[in-house]
Amino acid sequence: MIDPRAIIDSGAQIAEGVRIGPFSVIGAGVEIGPECTIGPHVVIKGPTRIGRGNRIYQFASIGDDPQDKKYRGEPTRLEIGDNNTIREYCTLNRGTVQDQGVTRIGSRNWIMAYVHIAHDCVLGDDIVMANNASLAGHVQIEDCAILGGFAMVHQFCKIGAHAFLQFAAGVNRDVPPFVVASGIPARPAGLNTEGLRRHGFDADRVGALKKAYKLLYRSGLRLEQARAELAALAVDHPDVARFSHFLESNPRSIIR
């Protein structure tokens, strides 16, 4: 299962059934869960914990020092959940003590080639990051979001659940859930209706979110009035309530 040409530090913990390709380097403080596949020429530094069933392709750099000038060698970490796919040349950095000291990746994420996930980012589950998408430090991404190729997210921004960043979007403000964002700087470009349908949202749920989107972005109402009508619509629609709550909780959101 482990190629004899791989270099495994004695301080690493490798579960049964893990495959590690030739010339990969696994450092001290690395924990790799069962049924993972690590391709050739992968470098994993600790402290890093990787769950079950992950597949990491060749030339990825996992758990290296944060690219932060304030970093002074503190023992921060990277945590990766289960059943993620991490393709070629991806870079995932550990956290910093200026935040919680951890970069955290959830489960079942599809992370394509050349993606960069910087220090202190927190990703949920079932996220897609297409080729060359990049996250600066302290970014949060909720479940089922999609980042198109070359999409870029500024530090401390938050991307809501089921949001969609189109190709080369440049995000410098929070993107509410269910919304498509496009351009540099990114602006609202519609509702992610196709993504919602693919995740099992029925016509009633999608219809309620369309009303919410139009109230905020296309009605011509003053912002205070639009938010009041959103709150009224949210009473009977949990998805709209989630949309409205995100806007209230994240005042840096893309509003108009």
Side-chain angles (χ1 to χ4, degrees):
M1 293 292 185
I2 298 178
D3 191 283
R5 292 165 292 181
I7 300 173
I8 314 294
D9 191 278
S10 60
Q13 300 180 39
I14 312 297
E16 293 185 5
V18 172
R19 297 177 180 270
I20 301 178
F23 310 112
S24 285
V25 180
I26 312 299
V30 173
E31 302 176 34
I32 302 179
E35 302 173 16
C36 288
T37 299
I38 312 299
H41 297 279
V42 174
V43 177
I44 306 178
K45 295 181 66 176
T48 292
R49 182 170 59 83
I50 300 173
R52 173 186 292 270
N54 294 283
R55 185 165 188 181
I56 302 175
Y57 282 71
Q58 53 268 23
F59 305 109
S61 175
I62 308 297
D64 215 326
D65 297 347
Q67 298 180 73
D68 189 319
K69 288 185 176 181
K70 299 184 294 299
Y71 182 68
R72 295 294 182 268
E74 299 91 350
T76 57
R77 64 192 191 278
L78 168 67
E79 297 179 356
I80 298 174
D82 302 329
N83 300 308
N84 296 286
T85 297
I86 300 171
R87 294 300 305 243
E88 299 84 353
Y89 295 99
C90 289
T91 52
L92 282 63
N93 295 161
R94 302 193 314 277
T96 66
V97 294
Q98 284 73 36
D99 202 316
Q100 300 298 312
V102 59
T103 301
R104 184 173 289 114
I105 313 296
S107 297
R108 300 179 305 279
N109 297 299
W110 186 257
I111 300 173
M112 298 187 197
Y114 293 93
V115 164
H116 176 63
I117 298 175
H119 59 87
D120 303 293
C121 289
V122 177
L123 277 64
D125 302 329
D126 301 299
I127 293 163
V128 175
M129 296 184 66
N131 296 343
N132 294 94
S134 295
L135 307 181
H138 313 279
V139 168
Q140 297 181 42
I141 304 184
E142 295 182 346
D143 298 347
C144 303
I146 299 175
L147 281 67
F150 292 91
M152 298 172 287
V153 184
H154 193 272
Q155 62 185 0
F156 295 102
C157 286
K158 186 172 184 178
I159 310 300
H162 298 280
F164 187 104
L165 307 187
Q166 291 187 341
F167 166 78
V171 173
N172 62 0
R173 301 181 69 182
D174 300 335
V175 178
F178 316 114
V179 168
V180 176
S182 178
I184 303 176
R187 293 288 183 264
L191 192 71
N192 184 20
T193 52
E194 182 59 32
L196 296 177
R197 293 189 184 103
R198 289 180 180 180
H199 282 93
F201 283 61
D202 61 25
D204 290 340
R205 295 176 70 186
V206 173
L209 286 168
K210 284 182 176 179
K211 290 180 182 178
Y213 182 89
K214 289 178 180 178
L215 276 173
L216 184 65
Y217 294 114
R218 295 183 180 174
S219 66
L221 297 173
R222 295 183 62 181
L223 183 57
E224 296 80 4
Q225 185 178 357
R227 284 188 165 180
E229 296 200 19
L230 271 177
L233 183 62
V235 172
D236 298 319
H237 298 283
D239 299 319
V240 177
R242 184 175 190 176
F243 178 70
S244 181
H245 177 72
F246 185 98
L247 297 171
E248 295 296 334
S249 302
N250 300 280
R252 296 174 61 254
S253 296
I254 298 172
I255 301 296
R256 297 288 171 92

